[in-house]
Amino acid sequence: VPGTPPTRVGPLRLAHVLLGYVPTMVELTPAQRRGMPDAVSAWASWAADIQELDAAAADHLRSQLPTVLARFDAAYDDPDNVQHRSYLRDLPATATDATARAAVLARRSIAVPTPDARTGDSARRLIDVADPAERRALIRDEYGDCDPPEGMSPAAVLNAVMQASDQLWHDDPPQVWQTARQLLAEGVSQHEVLHELARAATGQ
């Protein structure tokens, strides 16, 4: 986390990182999951020493760690958290900057609506949005029944919306995301942003 030293540690921070941030934002390999308890325990002890915590504070920190670790698997495997992570699954392992990951999530959440923003009659709550076919299926759920502008067929509108969604997902070209952010700042709803991008792309 930019501006936050790795030596800053405490029971509440451990719970936030291991039960909130990691389960929703970081895809771990099986090896990373197996090694995490030892790595986190070593980090917590090291950070406590660097901070020169007194014996009581250090003991309290270490006593809380097993409780937090015991809850990690349930948090990580929660279906909603799995869905959340799928928006970031393809990011390289070195892309750990929390601000950068949050920016990618914000952009992709417009490209493919998150569960709480889906409105389609047949919208499914849990899908693997890392799969392009699943993303297209969700866009069909959301936009397949929308009324097309005059002179356009429903199929043409849906294709244009899918193209805009793909451009946002991959941030290519970046001007599409710049336009989307401007529309959001003007109060355009998330659903309508893709409509507006599709209209712009087709000259409607």
Side-chain angles (χ1 to χ4, degrees):
V1 177
T4 302
T7 54
R8 182 181 175 186
V9 66
L12 293 179
R13 184 171 180 78
L14 279 174
H16 170 73
V17 170
L18 296 181
L19 303 180
Y21 182 77
V22 172
T24 58
M25 297 290 283
V26 181
E27 191 76 23
L28 300 178
T29 66
Q32 287 171 330
R33 287 189 69 172
R34 290 192 299 271
M36 192 195 68
D38 288 341
V40 170
S41 297
W43 166 63
S45 294
W46 168 79
D49 290 341
I50 294 296
Q51 289 183 93
E52 298 182 347
L53 296 183
D54 60 42
D59 286 345
H60 178 62
L61 173 63
R62 294 186 182 99
S63 71
Q64 295 301 305
L65 186 55
T67 301
V68 175
L69 287 172
R71 297 168 55 196
F72 175 80
D73 283 341
Y76 190 83
D77 294 330
D78 181 274
D80 284 335
N81 290 340
V82 173
Q83 167 83 142
H84 202 279
R85 291 197 310 274
S86 68
Y87 281 81
L88 304 170
R89 185 175 300 148
D90 63 334
L91 296 186
T94 54
T96 57
D97 184 294
T99 302
R101 295 182 78 86
V104 172
L105 180 63
R107 171 169 49 80
R108 289 182 169 179
S109 295
I110 302 302
V112 181
T114 54
D116 58 345
R118 294 172 193 163
T119 60
D121 290 339
S122 58
R124 292 169 294 159
R125 178 170 178 78
L126 300 177
I127 69 165
D128 181 7
V129 296
D131 182 341
E134 291 279 279
R135 294 200 298 271
R136 287 193 293 271
L138 191 148
I139 294 299
R140 280 194 295 271
D141 285 343
E142 290 292 303
Y143 294 89
D145 295 329
C146 293
D147 294 330
E150 185 177 352
M152 289 189 71
S153 68
V157 171
L158 185 57
N159 286 336
V161 170
M162 285 187 176
Q163 180 182 6
S165 174
D166 285 341
Q167 290 172 333
L168 278 179
W169 184 270
H170 297 291
D171 198 22
D172 183 22
Q175 292 83 359
V176 175
W177 177 222
Q178 293 171 8
T179 301
R181 284 187 296 179
Q182 180 62 40
L183 291 168
L184 291 167
E186 293 171 359
V188 177
S189 71
Q190 179 174 333
H191 181 88
E192 285 299 319
V193 164
L194 283 183
H195 272 304
E196 292 295 330
L197 293 175
R199 291 188 188 104
T202 57
Q204 294 294 319

